[in-house]
Amino acid sequence: MAAPGAELERLVEIMRRLRAEGGCPWDREQDLRSLRPYLTEEAFEVLDEMDRVADGGPWRPLCEELGDLLFQIVFHTQLAAELGEFTMADVCAAISDKLTSRHPHVFGDQQVKGAEQVLANWARLKAEERKKKTGRAGSVLDGVPTQAPSLLRAERLTEKASRIGFDWPDLAGVRGKLDEELRELDEAIASGGRDAIEHELGDVLFSLANLARFVKTPAEDALRMATRRFVTRFQYIEAKLNEEQVPFGGASLEHMERHWQAAKAVEKALPPPAHAPRASVATLRLAVPDVAAQRAFWDGVAGWLGWAPTRSPEGTAAYTGAGLGLVFTPGAQALDGSPVALTLEAPSPAAVARLQELFRAHHPGRLVAGSSSPAGFQFVDPAGLRWEYAAPPT
């Protein structure tokens, strides 16, 4: 697996070529204004996949959507680079400098007692940065985008205000404020005044966003998940009515309510998503009958894979690469004749083709017959262990 920096440089070069003379006509036509909807769309697609992972879904689609979002950042940066404004290196340096300067308790000698002090220090450091740039400290509320979803913006504004002590002392105060705003909304509804209702309803929603912050349940996320539940339950109603051959719009409210409650019961019967602690494989130890023969083979193959030999106890052979340690130790051959293959992930089909050619040139007898394809191939090492080298599915 290539280093993150190398892959980022590859992506930047791909973007440069797409925008260059002879590149992609569509990419060459884009500007900051035309890219706005794609940036927000990709961000929301990342949120969708985050929700699916939270429900117990796979992580790989989230990886792909994060890549799409990263491409938007690279695209915008390329536009700036073409004008001589800044480069991807500048973008990375800016955020790295910001993170190190705002975490003196990690990268300096400052001591903190907890997360609340970290947030207070963050607000103070931001104010100092603004003063250096503009000559004034500005407002602690600066930096919350005006175009952010309103519930999210309300929560972020109250969070920022809390960093300088403007906050309720406890949850009871927040909950009491919500009750007060609800009473005022009831009065506005009773009066029938449209402006008053809008005013008081806004105060209720703002208080709810503040309550969400206090209970550490982001209002935007809570509402998004509630909306998903509504869609699922309502589509359940539609499916049941269709099974019953009820004409479109012909069901009574009571009839639909029965199906709604049934949908809720089905939902509650489902087990909650459970995620076992994710364990990473740090070292793979394999017993082999002849360590010397294994080392003679793997010293070369490891280099082709971008791995490196490492120091290990006498009589063993060890290699590291892509965060995994591979150690061969003396012992009985556990997998002799087994069809089980240990899979190594190739970065691309081109890498598969390259390694296949190297095996054909240097170890043709170790290729497993009938296993070769553009997507991957298998080989057997001197210990009889079967390995698969394959690109991830697209």
Side-chain angles (χ1 to χ4, degrees), residues 168-220:
W168 293 96
D170 51 37
L171 179 59
V174 181
R175 188 63 183 83
K177 181 63 174 176
L178 176 59
D179 287 339
E180 175 189 324
E181 298 296 352
L182 283 168
R183 287 193 297 272
E184 292 179 0
L185 175 60
D186 288 338
E187 293 170 4
I189 292 173
S191 72
R194 180 177 177 181
D195 290 344
I197 293 172
E198 181 184 84
H199 180 108
E200 299 302 340
L201 180 59
D203 286 348
V204 168
L205 292 173
F206 193 90
S207 294
L208 279 169
N210 196 31
L211 176 65
R213 176 180 65 86
F214 248 81
V215 297
K216 295 181 173 57
T217 303
E220 193 72 32

Side-chain angles (χ1 to χ4, degrees), residues 267-289:
E267 188 180 283
K268 289 181 179 179
L270 294 174
H275 298 282
R278 185 177 290 270
S280 298
V281 177
T283 303
L284 184 63
R285 298 181 184 276
L286 299 171
V288 298

Side-chain angles (χ1 to χ4, degrees), residues 257-324:
E257 176 64 21
R258 287 198 301 273
H259 287 313
W260 176 271
Q261 294 302 327
K264 289 182 66 176
V266 170
E267 188 180 283
K268 289 181 179 179
L270 294 174
H275 298 282
R278 185 177 290 270
S280 298
V281 177
T283 303
L284 184 63
R285 298 181 184 276
L286 299 171
V288 298
D290 189 341
V291 174
Q294 198 77 346
R295 180 187 293 110
F297 173 79
W298 277 98
D299 278 355
V301 173
W304 298 344
L305 293 169
W307 292 22
T310 59
R311 295 181 61 183
S312 63
E314 187 175 353
T316 67
Y319 307 88
T320 58
L324 173 67

Side-chain angles (χ1 to χ4, degrees), residues 96-247:
S96 295
D97 291 346
K98 182 184 295 184
L99 289 173
T100 53
S101 68
R102 292 188 188 175
H103 290 81
H105 53 288
V106 176
F107 301 103
D109 55 6
Q110 186 181 81
Q111 300 295 314
V112 294
K113 295 180 179 179
E116 290 186 2
Q117 188 177 349
V118 171
L119 293 176
N121 289 344
W122 185 282
R124 177 180 55 78
L125 291 167
K126 283 189 68 174
E128 292 174 359
E129 290 171 9
R130 282 193 299 268
K131 192 169 185 178
K132 288 180 181 178
K133 290 178 182 178
T134 65
R136 63 183 189 88
S139 170
V140 72
L141 303 180
D142 290 346
V144 180
T146 57
Q147 295 302 310
S150 294
L151 278 177
L152 172 62
R153 187 162 188 259
E155 187 174 339
R156 292 288 287 125
L157 288 171
T158 58
E159 178 193 346
K160 283 180 173 285
S162 71
R163 294 181 185 178
I164 60 170
F166 188 76
D167 204 1
W168 293 96
D170 51 37
L171 179 59
V174 181
R175 188 63 183 83
K177 181 63 174 176
L178 176 59
D179 287 339
E180 175 189 324
E181 298 296 352
L182 283 168
R183 287 193 297 272
E184 292 179 0
L185 175 60
D186 288 338
E187 293 170 4
I189 292 173
S191 72
R194 180 177 177 181
D195 290 344
I197 293 172
E198 181 184 84
H199 180 108
E200 299 302 340
L201 180 59
D203 286 348
V204 168
L205 292 173
F206 193 90
S207 294
L208 279 169
N210 196 31
L211 176 65
R213 176 180 65 86
F214 248 81
V215 297
K216 295 181 173 57
T217 303
E220 193 72 32
D221 293 344
L223 181 58
R224 189 173 67 254
M225 300 307 291
T227 302
R228 286 183 61 188
R229 290 193 297 274
F230 176 85
V231 171
T232 300
R233 294 170 187 173
F234 192 80
Q235 289 175 343
Y236 178 93
I237 294 173
E238 291 178 315
K240 289 299 182 182
L241 294 178
N242 187 55
E243 289 176 11
E244 296 166 357
Q245 298 183 342
V246 177

